[in-house]
Amino acid sequence: MTANAHAKEDAASTHVLAQLASLLRSGDVQAALALTEAASANSAKPAEAAPEEAETDAVGRIVSPPLDTLSFIERRQSGGGYNYWANVPAASSYADECEIGGRLAEEFLTFIGKYHNNGNGALLGPIVIDMDKNGAGPGYKIGFMNTISKYAMGAAYLLHADGQESEHPWAKCRRLGRELAEALKSTGEEQFAYIAPKGSGTPTLLFGHLDYHPSTETTNATSGAAEEGQDFSELFYELINLAELAEATLDILREMDYTHGDGSRNAEHNRVSGLLHVLCSNLGRLRESAAILDGPTMWVPARSV
């Protein structure tokens, strides 16, 4: 039952994400916000009590403090409602008006970003209307609206980002390679990584030590009995090199002509090819078995009791 419940939750989440992506592409931001709020309400844990005088949108999902929390909005003394352009600092010049307008727009954007319910999504219109009604200077309007436009342009870019040119595979490989190199460096150990293409028949990602070289005699394979705490990872890499060499030789044989000039079969070529097939098969199994030797593990020989 638990597994079925998790599966249903995952399927529902995927469905919601698909709907959200479709709404954003169509430009219906209000519907996308409502869908996000509905999903959050279904999955959220019980929230803390709303602050006193808190206001919510029509369906009561995202709690917002009173609008006069914003410095330039005040509650009307009579008749109810709000004055959406009030208590605005005085300006001594057009440039000063622009600066104040931009600063108030940043305050507004921070507010609706934190409390993104349907009511706050419709807040910009009343602000613009009261700007005109209360005689806001042109600098206030330009500074306020230009700041809003800057953020709207960023949102519009994200809405249409799926139409941007995708990253070229080689560019992606080089970028990820640089990130892997930085990650290896941050370990503080002298290691390297070997990456093979998917489906190549070798482990996709291998790690080794920078001081390793196939000709270095550091293992039991070349220097006698193993010492206590011996690192056998080099042996694993030597087997990889040997297997790769055998595979490369077999590839060369496959490209050669298996017939003599008179059309008869080259028996010697067939025998060599057959032996290499057996060698490659055995080396492959040996390489897979030796993978346990890879890494920083120190192997200690068993002691007789």
Side-chain angles (χ1 to χ4, degrees):
M1 292 295 293
T2 303
N4 290 338
H6 284 311
K8 290 179 180 179
E9 289 176 4
D10 291 343
S13 298
T14 303
H15 179 63
V16 170
L17 289 174
Q19 285 184 307
L20 182 61
S22 177
L23 290 171
L24 288 174
R25 290 192 184 98
S26 67
D28 194 348
V29 179
Q30 290 294 330
L33 285 173
L35 180 62
T36 303
E37 294 162 14
S40 300
N42 291 335
S43 61
K45 297 179 181 179
E48 298 179 357
E52 188 177 356
E53 294 188 345
E55 298 177 354
T56 62
D57 63 339
V59 289
R61 294 191 181 103
I62 296 181
V63 178
S64 171
L67 295 180
D68 54 0
T69 301
L70 290 166
S71 65
F72 57 92
I73 295 180
E74 68 176 10
R75 192 182 297 271
R76 298 186 188 277
Q77 298 299 321
S78 61
Y82 292 95
N83 182 347
Y84 294 94
W85 192 255
N87 300 321
V88 176
S92 58
S93 65
Y94 175 82
D96 199 17
E97 287 184 354
C98 290
E99 188 277 328
I100 294 172
R103 177 158 43 85
L104 296 181
E106 294 280 358
E107 180 186 353
F108 164 73
L109 289 165
T110 300
F111 183 83
I112 64 173
K114 187 175 182 180
Y115 308 107
H116 49 281
N117 58 30
N118 289 337
N120 290 341
L123 189 55
L124 181 59
I127 293 174
V128 174
I129 291 173
D130 278 2
M131 274 184 176
D132 280 335
K133 186 184 297 184
N134 298 337
Y140 289 112
K141 297 176 181 178
I142 293 295
F144 194 94
M145 298 310 298
N146 279 359
T147 302
I148 299 295
S149 179
K150 178 181 68 176
Y151 282 88
M153 183 169 58
Y157 172 81
L158 292 177
L159 287 174
H160 300 283
D162 58 342
Q164 302 296 316
E165 185 177 353
S166 59
E167 187 176 18
H168 189 278
W170 266 119
K172 183 176 182 180
C173 286
R174 293 187 177 96
R175 176 177 57 79
L176 294 176
R178 288 191 296 270
E179 293 177 6
L180 177 58
E182 290 294 331
L184 284 172
K185 182 179 179 181
S186 65
T187 64
E189 300 180 7
E190 296 295 317
Q191 293 196 24
F192 70 89
Y194 166 77
I195 303 174
K198 182 180 179 181
S200 62
T202 63
T204 303
L205 186 61
L206 301 172
F207 296 93
H209 297 279
L210 289 176
D211 58 357
Y212 163 71
H213 190 275
S215 62
T216 305
E217 297 183 357
T218 58
T219 68
N220 184 40
T222 57
S223 59
E227 299 177 358
E228 185 172 351
Q230 184 72 43
D231 183 359
F232 285 96
S233 60
E234 291 86 354
L235 178 60
F236 175 58
Y237 292 110
E238 287 200 20
L239 283 171
I240 290 177
N241 293 336
L242 186 59
E244 294 290 342
L245 179 61
E247 289 285 353
T249 306
L250 185 59
D251 287 339
I252 294 174
L253 279 175
R254 291 193 184 104
E255 295 173 0
M256 295 176 65
D257 191 356
Y258 277 63
T259 58
H260 292 296
D262 59 0
S264 60
R265 192 70 172 172
N266 189 331
E268 291 80 5
H269 196 155
N270 279 343
R271 289 171 59 191
V272 174
S273 178
L275 288 173
L276 267 177
H277 272 290
V278 175
L279 177 62
C280 290
S281 178
N282 282 280
L283 281 174
R285 288 196 295 270
L286 185 58
R287 179 181 59 191
E288 292 176 3
S289 301
I292 194 174
L293 301 177
D294 183 28
T297 303
M298 303 302 287
W299 293 83
V300 179
R303 299 182 182 277
S304 59
V305 181

